[in-house]
Amino acid sequence: MTDRSLVGFTGAGYDKGRQFHVQVLWMLASSLVVSHWWCPNSVRLRILRMFGAKIGVGVLIRHRVRIHWPWKLTVGDYSWVGEDAWILNLEPVSIGANTCISQSVLLCAGSHDRRSGTFEFDNAPIRVGDRTWIAARATVLRGVTIGNDVTIGATALVTTDVHDGMTVLAPAARRSE
């Protein structure tokens, strides 16, 4: 076990991608407008694009979706992102076309190196392919590539790449006798 001292944390290797004032403006726009139920999808998408998100046509991003940095987000045509999804994109996150990211999914491109004495970042991009469904409350961790035509079941924890056409399910609860 490494002696850990968070006081020495430097954040080395993590580039937020925009100047501080742009980060502040995004946080304000996100919390005051983008995430609310009364904000029309067309306005939500326009604001995301203004902040650098690459969003295709026919995309639906529901309310209460948290997007850490829009300039590190790409969403393909006709994809959906459900309520309460959290895209923690400290590194780029790309979502393919005709893909459904369901309610309360977490796409987490950030982490920490548990072996680092100062708990430095260990971030990596996430890529989700075309025609893929990530069901409710699933979690996809940093560095994972999910292929095309994939189904990730509800509450699944995805820590490694998932190849085209695969289905990944969380363990089901079983009744004890």
Side-chain angles (χ1 to χ4, degrees):
M1 177 77 183
T2 302
D3 287 337
R4 183 165 293 133
S5 175
L6 300 182
V7 70
F9 176 80
T10 66
Y14 171 44
D15 179 9
K16 293 178 182 167
R18 294 290 189 275
Q19 295 174 323
F20 181 73
H21 73 277
V22 177
Q23 296 169 39
V24 170
L25 288 172
W26 165 246
M27 292 297 176
L28 287 170
S30 177
S31 63
L32 297 175
V33 180
V34 173
S35 64
H36 291 283
W37 65 268
W38 48 261
C39 179
N41 186 60
S42 61
V43 172
R44 186 175 294 120
L45 297 182
R46 192 172 318 125
I47 292 171
L48 284 164
R49 288 179 180 121
M50 281 177 24
F51 279 95
K54 295 174 189 75
I55 299 175
V57 299
V59 169
L60 175 62
I61 297 180
R62 301 288 298 182
H63 60 281
R64 293 195 321 256
V65 171
R66 293 174 60 188
I67 298 168
H68 196 70
W69 301 132
W71 47 87
K72 292 188 176 194
L73 178 64
T74 302
V75 182
D77 295 345
Y78 304 104
S79 288
W80 302 340
V81 180
E83 293 176 22
D84 293 320
W86 186 6
I87 302 173
L88 184 55
N89 55 339
L90 302 183
E91 297 298 331
V93 169
S94 64
I95 299 167
N98 294 292
T99 289
C100 177
I101 307 297
S102 289
Q103 295 82 357
S104 300
V105 165
L106 170 60
L107 302 179
C108 183
S111 190
H112 293 276
D113 181 355
R114 65 182 172 82
R115 293 174 295 269
S116 166
T118 55
F119 209 45
E120 296 299 329
F121 284 121
D122 184 18
N123 304 335
I126 293 173
R127 290 173 209 82
V128 179
D130 298 335
R131 299 170 308 281
T132 288
W133 176 27
I134 302 179
R137 296 185 184 268
T139 298
V140 179
L141 296 183
R142 62 115 185 99
V144 168
T145 296
I146 296 175
N148 300 321
D149 305 301
V150 168
T151 299
I152 305 294
T155 75
L157 173 62
V158 183
T159 62
T160 59
D161 292 351
V162 180
H163 301 291
D164 291 353
M166 291 182 71
T167 297
V168 175
L169 302 175
R174 300 186 197 283
R175 190 175 68 203
S176 173
E177 298 295 329

